[in-house]
Amino acid sequence: MQHFGKVAVLMGGFSSEREISLISGKAILEALQSRGVDAHAFDPAETELSELKTQNFDMAFNILHGTYGEDGTVQGALEALGIPYTGCGVLASALGMDKYRCKLIWSALGLPVPPFEVLHDDSDFAAVEQKLGLPLFIKPAAEGSSVGVVKIKQAGELAQQYAQLRDMGLHGVILAEQFMSGGEYTCGVFNSKALPSIRIIPQTEFYDYEAKYLRDDTVYLCPSDLSSEDERTMQHLAQEAFAAIGGGNTLGRIDFLKDSAGCLYILEANTLPGMTSHSLIPKSALQIGISFADLCIAVLQNAQDERR
């Protein structure tokens, strides 16, 4: 595996998802090293990114979650440095990080997204509650790992929660989104092909940060409980949604909701999926015989092929 040269595993960084990135990065580093790759940890919060050139790195395996690492910023810097990197490029990363603009693109293409409203200081919050119904969700458009996501269950609560989120200084506009009661799903995409879907059954109120990373009682059904027809539909939608934002042949994940009538809706894109013991893409890949280490090697090989 020495044909990859010296590989930097970019982990940590500056975002609210730093700790998760470090966990993902450690797992990837160990996997690459187990296959003979000359891989090294590299944390941009501790070392200037320009050191990648000074230290003669040939490639970067990017697992910097959240802002700076997942929003096109570090991708642009790596492009300027001339260092091939894993994952989506500048445009797809920037779009994928912004849930609002993803929804605009998908809606324009006729893809199903849950009804939503953009909130402002002068919004008629009571009208939004009435239009979308209760419960509903409120979230910042450009944060990951469910940071800032709140479930609104009581009438009159939306205005207060909006003000709290606004004052937290989170990234992106603040969205209110209709609640879907039929279940949470996700579907990975790699090399323009969809992976098996996963049904997510959290034991918390919803699939929040705690359920994603800290608890061991979240249930993941893979293969999921979808019918063969719905599985094909979800995989097709995942491929379309990822391609629409410029995902290309890289690794990504599209999250879905199902309503009480069984209809599927595209929730959001993840252009830099987590790679921890709790993460979804490794679970899905394993269903088709791809081990964690094999997946890491395949992602690295894809980056090398794409940038050659």
Side-chain angles (χ1 to χ4, degrees):
M1 293 297 176
Q2 296 303 313
H3 64 282
F4 293 121
K6 188 178 180 182
V7 177
V9 180
L10 304 186
M11 64 175 85
F14 309 97
S15 82
S16 58
E17 300 173 71
R18 172 179 170 80
E19 295 305 316
I20 302 306
S21 174
L22 289 170
I23 296 171
S24 287
K26 182 181 178 182
I28 291 167
L29 183 65
E30 291 176 353
L32 294 178
Q33 290 175 342
S34 75
R35 296 301 174 87
V37 177
D38 183 20
H40 305 262
F42 192 101
D43 187 346
E46 298 175 354
T47 307
E48 291 287 339
L49 207 61
S50 60
E51 283 293 306
L52 290 171
K53 294 292 285 187
T54 305
Q55 297 180 25
N56 298 313
F57 281 100
D58 298 291
M59 297 185 67
F61 196 120
N62 180 26
I63 197 66
L64 293 166
H65 299 312
T67 51
Y68 179 71
E70 201 169 350
D71 59 2
T73 307
V74 77
Q75 288 79 6
L78 292 170
E79 295 274 0
L81 289 171
I83 296 178
Y85 57 92
T86 60
C88 290
V90 176
L91 177 61
S93 298
L95 286 173
M97 193 68 188
D98 192 322
K99 299 175 183 65
Y100 173 50
R101 282 162 180 82
C102 278
K103 291 176 187 296
L104 293 179
I105 292 170
W106 295 332
S107 296
L109 293 173
L111 301 179
V113 299
F116 70 96
E117 291 287 329
V118 178
L119 300 178
H120 306 282
D121 288 353
D122 58 354
S123 292
D124 186 336
F125 297 99
V128 172
E129 289 177 346
Q130 186 173 18
K131 179 179 179 180
L132 297 180
L134 293 173
L136 60 80
F137 282 97
I138 180 174
K139 63 181 70 172
E143 294 283 350
S145 295
S146 298
V147 172
V149 179
V150 179
K151 189 174 183 179
I152 306 294
K153 295 182 283 187
Q154 301 293 327
E157 188 181 359
L158 181 59
Q160 177 187 354
Q161 290 293 343
Y162 163 78
Q164 290 182 6
L165 279 186
R166 179 200 60 201
D167 294 343
M168 287 172 65
L170 299 173
H171 296 86
V173 299
I174 298 175
L175 302 173
E177 193 169 67
Q178 190 174 91
F179 170 70
M180 300 282 174
S181 63
E184 300 180 60
Y185 296 81
T186 195
C187 187
V189 180
F190 185 47
N191 280 335
S192 300
K193 296 179 180 178
L195 298 173
S197 69
I198 298 177
R199 169 76 188 274
I200 304 160
I201 308 175
Q203 306 307 304
T204 49
E205 185 79 25
F206 61 95
Y207 192 45
D208 57 8
Y209 185 95
E210 182 182 354
K212 287 178 178 178
Y213 302 117
L214 305 179
R215 298 174 65 108
D216 292 318
D217 58 357
T218 302
V219 177
Y220 301 98
L221 302 181
C222 187
S224 73
D225 58 0
L226 293 176
S227 66
S228 297
E229 182 179 356
D230 281 349
E231 177 76 5
R232 287 192 296 270
T233 298
M234 180 173 289
Q235 290 184 326
H236 178 68
L237 287 172
Q239 290 170 302
E240 282 199 294
F242 196 56
I245 62 170
N249 292 328
T250 53
L251 179 67
R253 202 185 76 225
I254 302 295
D255 297 338
F256 290 84
L257 295 174
K258 190 164 70 169
D259 68 10
S260 57
C263 297
L264 294 170
Y265 293 84
I266 302 168
L267 180 62
E268 60 189 61
N270 191 320
T271 58
L272 200 66
M275 298 283 271
T276 72
S277 60
H278 283 63
S279 297
L280 302 173
I281 287 288
K283 295 177 188 293
S284 184
L286 196 59
Q287 289 297 312
I288 56 174
I290 303 175
S291 70
F292 184 81
D294 286 341
L295 179 62
C296 292
I297 293 295
V299 170
L300 200 58
Q301 184 67 60
N302 174 277
Q304 187 179 67
D305 293 344
E306 286 289 298
R307 270 73 183 190
R308 180 170 289 153

